[in-house]
Amino acid sequence: MGFDLNRAIRGRVWKFGDSVDTDSINPFYLYHTMEELKKHTLESFRPEFPKEVKPGDIIVAGRNFGCGSHRPGLVLREVGVAAIVVESASRLFLRNTIALPMPIFIAPGISQLVDDGETLELDYQAGVARNTATGAAVAIPKFPPMIEQIYACGGLPRLARQRYLAETRTGG
Amino acid sequence: MGQTIAEKILSRHNLAQAPLKAGDFIGARIDGAMCHYQFMDIHRLAVEAGFEEGFPRVWDTGRVYLLVDHHQPALAQSYADENVLIRKEARRLGIEHFHDAEPGIAHQMMPDYGYVRPGELVVGNDSHTIAYGALNAGSTGITRADMLYVLLFGELWFQVPKSIRIVLEGRQPGYPIAKDIILYLAGRYGDDFAQNMALEFTGSLVPQLSMDSRMCLSTHGVEVAAKLAMFPFDEKTRAYVEARTDKPYEPVAADPDAAYAKEIVVNVDEMPFVVAKPHQFGNVGPVDEVKGVEVDQAQIGSCSNGRFEDIEIAARMLKGRKVAKGVRFIISPSSQQVYLQCLKAGLIESLVESGAHVVTPGCGVCQPKVGYLSDGEVCITATTRNFKGRKGSLKAEIYLGGPLTVTAAAVAGRIVNPKEVFDGL
Ligand code: SF4
């Protein structure tokens, strides 16, 4: 399942603070199946989140989102989160989310831009994140071509598959 | 302009064979890939990506280290079932370095077995893979999808990190302080002060630090969000590495005129004992700030603090004393080799005599697997993380401290400054 970075995203905002950890996003020590994880993701920060999150919603968070273990945020995509926009992301969570692929944008100033429940519009091509109610915006930086290619291929595993096929076809 | 250790090590592994500077995006050649108990998750990613039979190959059967760690012997039916599948895959792919019948934590077993050498670029699909920086290796955690790519091609994308010089000055006291140092740094500068950057440890304390202490500091690099956490190569590194492998290696050092994003100086002589309070690593204060908090459980173990010196200080301090009534003091060596070292030194006997529980090497004490906490219970632990729910209940409280602070709390039954419990520190 690919993701077109150039398609604008509009969604309701769920706000989180700093250093939201992957134990909370993906509490797999306690819940072993995706169905269970979906019922408990992020509950240690906001108990209502797993109950009320709707497909198309956007997560906005502070610094160091996804810190802790290397566990992926696949469960967030599974509950329908359309994008994650943060002041800064933990390096492994960022790599994981790009590899899925799922849109994740590092946009300093984002936590000041929107309140919980407001609507955010993300336009990667134009490089802006905009609060639709106030019109205020912050910049979304461009990814290097290497990362845009991962999005275009539908994630890192698919990119790997393409490369493998290309190399084995040419006998290389 | 000279290069930092990070710039140098990535330049050395740059597929494009050009010297690099911080900020560059590159494809890098990988020397070693550590996979652990979640290997089948990577296999499943490969299947989803279109490799119907799983991996068609690994790029180099001698450079993949598959250690089925975390929960050995299997702590749940699901692990037992998964382990059988991993064994089958390991055989099919011809992976030469495969351990699945040995309890322990991969991040200790990798150095134990001499699988990491100075100057190498080693990755692992576990965040604490950063640990091997203690051995002057460029090592870092990667994701499962990244590992899929590495297993096929022996290459991976990286952004060359900026570096922070951590200058540690002062004298090593007669007990380990690595945990206090990293907690102190996280408290003072934030739990992400090194986001996406490399740490380089230097200063007058460094030659005095044991390999165990260096590994504690490098392991915890990820708790301050670093990509690499590297120590310089010295005689201690040489002795440690050459006792475990006879493969050649080439250490890496920074140039004197390398450029750093920041320099942080810590004088450990002036550093108090510190703890991280619930529920974040950076929520740090001097131990005196929380003294008196009663504890139900105390623990020493994990990839940060399950090494010989962590267990030795507990045994030394407990000698002639007892664990407080009602406190569960759980100790888990980080590998069989560490366990054996502790046994031979007589540590285990004195720990058990004092009322500690010594449990199988592995990750159990760091997760809820061994020693769940109930609502309202308090735990002080020398392990890696204190996130809410890390030990089971979301309503339990976890404090992180060094092994000495944890032992003091186990004896007193409450959090206390170790100097109040033990004389002559
Ligand atoms: S000891 Fe804890 S942090 Fe370390 S590898 Fe095991 S589970 Fe992860």
Side-chain angles (χ1 to χ4, degrees):
Chain A
M1 157 165 119
F3 175 75
D4 180 5
L5 267 185
N6 295 317
R7 186 167 48 83
I9 300 167
R10 218 180 134 98
R12 175 180 68 153
V13 165
W14 283 87
K15 272 187 84 172
F16 289 85
D18 296 335
S19 296
V20 170
D21 57 276
T22 53
D23 281 18
S24 172
I25 295 169
N26 187 333
F28 95 118
Y29 301 138
L30 302 173
Y31 308 107
H32 305 298
T33 65
M34 184 51 81
E35 281 318 301
E36 282 180 297
L37 286 173
K38 282 159 74 172
K39 286 187 208 135
H40 295 282
T41 180
L42 285 170
E43 72 177 356
S44 71
F45 284 88
R46 296 190 59 178
E48 74 283 18
F49 178 82
K51 296 185 198 105
E52 295 171 16
V53 65
K54 295 258 164 15
D57 287 353
I58 293 172
I59 286 178
V60 169
R63 290 184 295 106
N64 203 24
F65 189 78
C67 63
S69 88
H70 79 302
R71 262 169 271 155
L74 178 62
V75 59
L76 296 179
R77 198 176 76 180
E78 294 291 309
V79 298
V81 171
I84 299 167
V85 194
V86 293
E87 298 286 338
S88 73
S90 132
R91 157 183 172 263
L92 280 168
F93 191 82
L94 182 64
R95 283 192 87 108
N96 253 320
T97 309
I98 291 167
L100 274 176
M102 174 175 180
I104 180 163
F105 302 117
I106 314 283
I110 190 70
S111 28
Q112 302 300 320
L113 189 80
V114 278
D115 280 328
D116 197 57
E118 287 188 329
T119 302
L120 185 65
E121 195 172 76
L122 303 167
D123 186 338
Y124 176 76
Q125 199 165 30
V128 285
R130 188 178 294 106
N131 180 328
T132 57
T134 65
V138 295
I140 301 176
K142 279 265 181 266
F143 289 120
M146 199 181 258
I147 291 176
E148 288 189 338
Q149 196 198 353
I150 296 174
Y151 277 105
C153 284
L156 189 59
R158 290 198 180 274
L159 178 83
R161 168 88 176 150
Q162 279 181 18
R163 174 173 167 186
Y164 178 80
L165 288 179
E167 285 182 3
T168 45
R169 219 176 275 136
T170 57
Chain B
M1 180 60 78
Q3 288 184 307
T4 61
I5 298 191
E7 287 167 335
K8 230 179 225 183
I9 207 155
L10 285 167
S11 298
R12 201 189 269 182
H13 292 84
N14 183 8
L15 292 168
Q17 298 190 327
L20 299 165
K21 56 182 184 341
D24 292 342
F25 279 87
I26 62 154
R29 178 178 53 75
I30 303 298
D31 292 317
M34 187 287 291
C35 298
H36 64 8
Y37 75 120
Q38 291 170 346
F39 184 78
M40 292 313 288
D41 286 339
I42 310 169
H43 165 89
R44 285 186 274 271
L45 276 182
V47 173
E48 278 167 32
F51 295 104
E52 280 169 25
E53 312 288 315
F55 284 97
R57 65 170 189 217
V58 296
W59 100 99
D60 186 335
T61 54
R63 290 184 180 274
V64 177
Y65 305 98
L66 179 46
L67 307 107
V68 187
D69 73 337
H70 273 61
H71 310 298
Q72 289 284 10
L75 287 183
Q77 185 64 48
S78 56
Y79 294 117
D81 297 342
E82 197 85 341
N83 290 353
V84 171
L85 300 176
I86 297 176
R87 183 175 290 198
K88 219 172 101 207
E89 279 300 300
R91 284 215 189 102
R92 183 179 70 82
L93 292 167
I95 291 167
E96 290 160 43
H97 305 291
F98 175 56
H99 302 261
D100 78 335
E102 180 179 342
I105 305 169
H107 306 312
Q108 183 60 34
M109 293 161 74
M110 286 287 285
D112 277 353
Y113 281 108
Y115 291 162
V116 182
R117 283 147 307 242
E120 290 188 342
L121 183 60
V122 180
V123 294
N125 64 301
D126 189 283
S127 60
H128 288 106
T129 308
I130 189 169
Y132 326 141
L135 276 63
N136 187 245
S139 76
T140 193
I142 59 172
T143 73
R144 294 167 201 172
D146 290 326
M147 185 54 83
L148 179 154
Y149 198 91
V150 170
L151 290 179
L152 284 168
F153 306 112
E155 299 170 7
L156 189 62
W157 74 268
F158 283 101
Q159 184 175 27
V160 181
K162 292 182 188 158
S163 294
I164 301 177
R165 255 163 71 95
I166 308 281
V167 187
L168 302 176
E169 303 287 7
R171 297 242 316 269
Q172 169 73 56
Y175 47 84
I177 52 166
K179 185 71 151 210
D180 293 273
I181 295 173
I182 193 72
L183 286 170
Y184 172 82
L185 285 167
R188 177 95 164 60
Y189 298 97
D191 62 359
D192 62 347
F193 79 86
Q195 189 66 264
N196 232 339
M197 293 200 255
L199 300 179
E200 257 183 48
F201 293 99
T202 179
S204 60
L205 182 74
V206 166
Q208 305 172 62
L209 285 175
S210 66
M211 291 309 290
D212 286 1
S213 282
R214 295 181 195 185
M215 285 195 243
C216 175
L217 283 163
S218 287
T219 302
H220 270 311
V222 72
E223 265 68 55
V224 293
K227 183 181 294 185
L228 301 169
M230 299 192 55
F231 277 83
F233 178 84
D234 65 8
E235 281 313 308
K236 280 189 184 162
T237 333
R238 182 195 307 279
Y240 185 94
V241 171
E242 294 184 4
R244 291 163 175 81
T245 176
D246 49 15
K247 293 235 171 87
Y249 61 88
E250 199 187 330
V252 57
D255 292 326
D257 57 342
Y260 294 87
K262 198 176 187 172
E263 179 170 292
I264 291 174
V265 181
V266 181
N267 185 342
V268 301
D269 299 338
E270 290 159 11
M271 195 182 64
F273 290 113
V274 290
V275 293
K277 296 166 276 180
H279 302 281
Q280 288 180 346
F281 194 87
N283 188 17
V284 173
V287 67
D288 290 329
E289 198 184 298
V290 290
K291 69 177 181 191
V293 172
E294 291 185 15
V295 302
D296 302 287
Q297 188 160 306
Q299 312 183 137
I300 295 176
S302 87
C303 55
S304 65
N305 293 92
R307 300 194 172 85
F308 181 81
E309 70 175 22
D310 301 300
I311 296 172
E312 193 276 336
I313 189 68
R316 194 184 341 148
M317 292 298 144
L318 273 183
K319 201 150 190 82
R321 296 190 170 90
K322 288 276 180 219
V323 174
K325 199 165 164 29
V327 175
R328 310 178 293 267
F329 188 17
I330 310 175
I331 295 175
S332 175
S334 52
S335 71
Q336 286 287 81
Q337 292 190 24
V338 171
Y339 198 0
L340 192 57
Q341 199 185 358
C342 295
L343 270 169
K344 286 184 173 162
L347 307 182
I348 304 299
E349 185 176 341
S350 69
L351 286 170
V352 174
E353 269 171 2
S354 300
H357 318 194
V358 180
V359 301
T360 309
C363 296
V365 293
C366 175
Q367 301 185 345
K369 291 289 181 307
V370 174
Y372 278 82
L373 297 175
S374 186
D375 290 0
E377 284 201 308
V378 175
C379 175
I380 183 161
T381 178
T383 51
T384 57
R385 289 170 174 150
N386 62 339
F387 298 132
K388 205 185 261 191
R390 182 77 180 181
K391 292 295 297 172
S393 167
L394 294 181
K395 294 188 185 126
E397 311 242 289
I398 305 172
Y399 292 79
L400 296 172
L404 181 60
T405 306
V406 168
T407 307
V411 168
R414 61 196 152 77
I415 299 179
V416 61
N417 191 318
K419 295 199 172 175
E420 288 176 28
V421 183
F422 308 122
D423 310 324
L425 287 181

